[in-house]
Amino acid sequence: MIDLGTRLGPLKLKTPFMAASGTFGFGEEFASLMDLRDLGAIVINGLTLMPRKGNPPPRIVETPAGMLNAIGLQNPGLDVFLSRELPRLQKSQVKLIANIAGDTEEEYVILARELCTAGDVLIAIELNVSCPNVQRGGIFFGTTPSTLSSLVEKVRRVCTLPLIVKLTPNVTDITEIARAAEDGGADILSLVNTFQGMVIDTVSRRPFLGNKIGGLSGPAMRPLAVRLVYETYASVEIPLIGMGGIEALDDALQFFMAGAAAVAIGSASFSDPLTILRLTGELKNYLQRMNLPSLEGIIGVAHG
Ligand SMILES: Cc1cc2nc3c(=O)[nH]c(=O)nc-3n(C[C@H](O)[C@H](O)[C@H](O)COP(=O)(O)O)c2cc1C
């Protein structure tokens, strides 16, 4: 018997494959294609206290082996999420992780407090301190160790659910940021968010995206993300969720072997919405072939 379950500190998932924030909405568009309960979890679109319209278009551009996005946290805000989206999701019994972002510490604290008591469909809170596409907040909190540990500490005090901190790759040394999040009380780290990039439209001679700068995701970033997971695994005690350009089982295995106990799939769901389910089946076959009863046998093995 193969056990596909994975344990991330206080969080137990049925499979190690999750949908990455910003790429699966609140799950509704995918519900007709699959049973959402077969996913390890869905990390829902970034939520802020007040509704946000997001950035001016264009917001997405394709790049070699990836894409650049500058959505800018478009979302309906906390109140609409609680009154309109959550009751519907509650019925579907999906495992949801709320991804939250704020301009101030206070906003993060209010969001975490409200969401932690919102209902048992929410199984964890992910602090987005790594959004590269907003003017204030977001990445600001994720690039300075002292600022990050202070924020995590404050959220920790009100957060009764497992607390995940999502790290940005746009720093010189991710390990000091990771340790700051751990010191502040994070249960789990997820990494990484997108890499800041730019595409210039050579006809108009201006940056292509309305926001000028965007975040690079997809296979182009995979080796960069695997390296960051590998280094972070060696620097902290808490479990990791890896992501960046995962499309095939071999990609996911690289993250597991680097030290991730679960992985998230983002951009690949745009081209094939069934990617996560395909990978789940392929992982089961792989473990069977390798005579491994569970994923535990490969997490972090690349460290020797
Ligand atoms: C269109 C788009 C929107 C995203 N929105 C969010 C977001 O709201 N919050 C967040 O933490 N990450 C967001 N991300 C980052 C992804 O969750 C993920 O970290 C990144 O895309 C790398 O994974 P991938 O290469 O599999 O896409 C977004 C990514 C994309 C492509």
Side-chain angles (χ1 to χ4, degrees), residues 6-303:
T6 189
R7 180 166 278 289
L8 297 131
L11 187 64
K12 173 104 177 70
L13 301 178
K14 188 165 135 187
T15 88
F17 295 106
M18 316 173 16
S21 181
T23 63
F24 223 76
F26 298 122
E28 70 285 4
E29 287 160 13
F30 295 80
S32 62
L33 300 172
M34 66 187 88
D35 185 344
L36 298 175
R37 290 170 301 181
D38 290 338
L39 307 175
I42 298 174
V43 188
I44 57 176
N45 276 358
L47 260 184
T48 52
L49 198 52
M50 303 308 287
R52 289 205 189 177
K53 288 198 181 108
N55 286 323
R59 296 172 175 195
I60 285 187
V61 57
E62 207 170 327
T63 58
M67 62 188 271
L68 209 59
N69 93 81
I71 305 294
L73 292 176
Q74 179 188 352
N75 78 96
L78 179 67
D79 286 347
V80 172
F81 173 73
L82 291 177
S83 60
R84 200 180 64 196
E85 304 291 341
L86 199 63
R88 197 172 44 75
L89 294 162
Q90 204 95 28
K91 278 187 223 136
S92 66
Q93 299 177 322
V94 197
K95 303 281 182 222
L96 293 184
I97 296 176
N99 176 282
I100 62 173
D103 288 345
T104 62
E105 283 188 338
E106 192 54 27
E107 287 184 11
Y108 278 97
V109 169
I110 296 170
L111 281 157
R113 194 173 47 221
E114 296 293 316
L115 289 165
C116 277
T117 54
D120 55 11
V121 68
L122 286 174
I123 57 166
I125 302 289
E126 181 175 74
L127 286 195
N128 179 357
V129 287
S130 45
C131 182
N133 304 322
V134 286
Q135 294 291 317
R136 294 189 298 150
I139 202 168
F140 165 79
F141 288 102
T143 47
T144 313
S146 55
T147 310
L148 180 60
S149 57
S150 153
L151 172 70
V152 177
E153 257 173 49
K154 291 194 174 92
V155 172
R156 174 79 284 175
R157 275 187 227 131
V158 301
C159 185
T160 47
L161 287 173
L163 182 59
I164 305 168
V165 176
K166 182 159 179 183
L167 304 181
T168 175
N170 301 298
V171 289
T172 309
D173 180 4
I174 199 166
T175 63
E176 62 172 13
I177 305 289
R179 279 193 296 272
E182 183 178 41
D183 290 346
D187 294 306
I188 303 161
L189 301 176
S190 61
L191 58 158
V192 284
N193 209 317
T194 52
F195 285 79
Q196 282 180 308
M198 182 183 278
V199 168
I200 308 265
D201 176 351
T202 52
V203 176
S204 69
R205 303 179 175 192
R206 311 287 305 156
F208 183 88
L209 294 173
N211 188 52
K212 298 188 175 75
I213 291 172
L216 180 72
S217 62
M221 70 178 278
R222 190 191 314 127
L224 306 172
V226 171
R227 193 268 289 190
L228 294 169
V229 169
Y230 184 91
E231 290 186 354
T232 304
Y233 180 76
S235 311
V236 296
E237 300 293 325
I238 53 179
L240 309 180
I241 300 167
M243 76 201 80
I246 297 175
E247 289 185 337
L249 181 66
D250 192 75
D251 308 337
L253 291 176
Q254 291 192 46
F255 280 93
F256 295 137
M257 291 177 183
V263 293
I265 317 299
S267 308
S269 293
F270 292 138
S271 48
D272 178 6
L274 298 178
T275 302
I276 300 179
L277 295 189
R278 175 173 49 80
L279 295 180
T280 308
E282 288 177 7
L283 177 65
K284 196 170 179 186
N285 293 341
Y286 171 84
L287 293 176
Q288 233 149 17
R289 266 201 327 278
M290 294 291 143
N291 266 330
L292 292 167
S294 73
L295 190 65
E296 245 169 69
I298 56 169
I299 296 172
V301 291
H303 292 260

